[in-house]
Amino acid sequence: MLKTECEELATLTDKVRVWVTLTLPKIEDGDNFGVQVLEDVLGELQRSQEAALNLRDIPRQNYLTRAKICSKLIKYPNVEDYAMALKEHDQKQLFLARQHILDIRNVYASLTDMMHKNISKIRKPKANNSINLY
């Protein structure tokens, strides 16, 4: 479940990043506040995508660690510490999986908040000041 959620988050952030990038106007002098907002949004989207990809890699690391403990348990079946280590490892991974799901929720919440607060600058990064020139 964590893997698919991370993949979906990475895909969605990539799509939004492309959309925001396409709204960037050409570089000109003056009135660049909207452009700065877009760059901040792009930075946050990049960080969110990297976090999703990092979270996606965690189950692989978990399986490797669990496999090492299991191989020790098979090799030394009379050593109870390995059985306890496996049990503790599984409990820890369950706790961490819950935390990672909450982290993904928080990433969605912060991105949604940032997009809603800055949607006008994202849609139209440069104000139309040509009317007020004369």
Side-chain angles (χ1 to χ4, degrees):
M1 182 171 118
L2 180 64
K3 184 172 138 179
T4 56
E5 288 295 325
C6 290
E7 289 170 354
E8 183 177 0
L9 176 59
T11 302
L12 291 173
T13 55
D14 189 49
K15 288 177 182 180
V16 174
R17 264 187 29 208
V18 168
W19 174 66
V20 172
T21 301
L22 292 175
T23 63
L24 277 170
K26 66 180 183 176
I27 299 172
E28 296 176 344
D29 291 337
D31 194 24
N32 288 325
F33 177 70
V35 176
Q36 181 62 41
V37 169
L38 286 181
E39 290 171 356
D40 293 344
V41 168
L42 285 172
E44 188 63 30
L45 287 166
Q46 178 67 31
R47 283 188 292 281
S48 298
Q49 188 175 32
E50 288 172 3
L53 294 175
N54 289 338
L55 284 172
R56 195 228 176 270
D57 191 45
I58 288 173
R60 181 189 62 82
Q61 296 165 350
N62 171 37
Y63 290 132
L64 289 174
T65 305
R66 191 173 198 286
K68 288 178 185 178
I69 296 171
C70 287
S71 69
K72 294 283 188 179
L73 185 59
I74 291 169
K75 190 173 182 180
Y76 305 106
N78 296 329
V79 179
E80 291 182 24
D81 288 344
Y82 289 123
M84 293 296 289
L86 184 61
K87 182 179 177 182
E88 288 295 322
H89 175 76
D90 289 344
Q91 289 174 348
K92 177 183 174 188
Q93 292 308 312
L94 179 62
F95 173 78
L96 290 175
R98 288 180 187 143
Q99 290 303 117
H100 296 320
I101 292 295
L102 292 175
D103 290 343
I104 291 172
R105 179 205 60 190
N106 293 342
V107 167
Y108 276 119
S110 65
L111 286 176
T112 302
D113 182 57
M114 181 181 54
M115 296 295 285
H116 280 282
K117 288 179 178 175
N118 297 300
I119 194 69
S120 63
K121 288 291 182 188
I122 293 170
R123 287 185 177 152
K124 193 172 183 182
K126 294 242 181 198
N128 191 359
N129 291 333
S130 61
I131 298 171
N132 299 330
L133 289 178
Y134 298 104

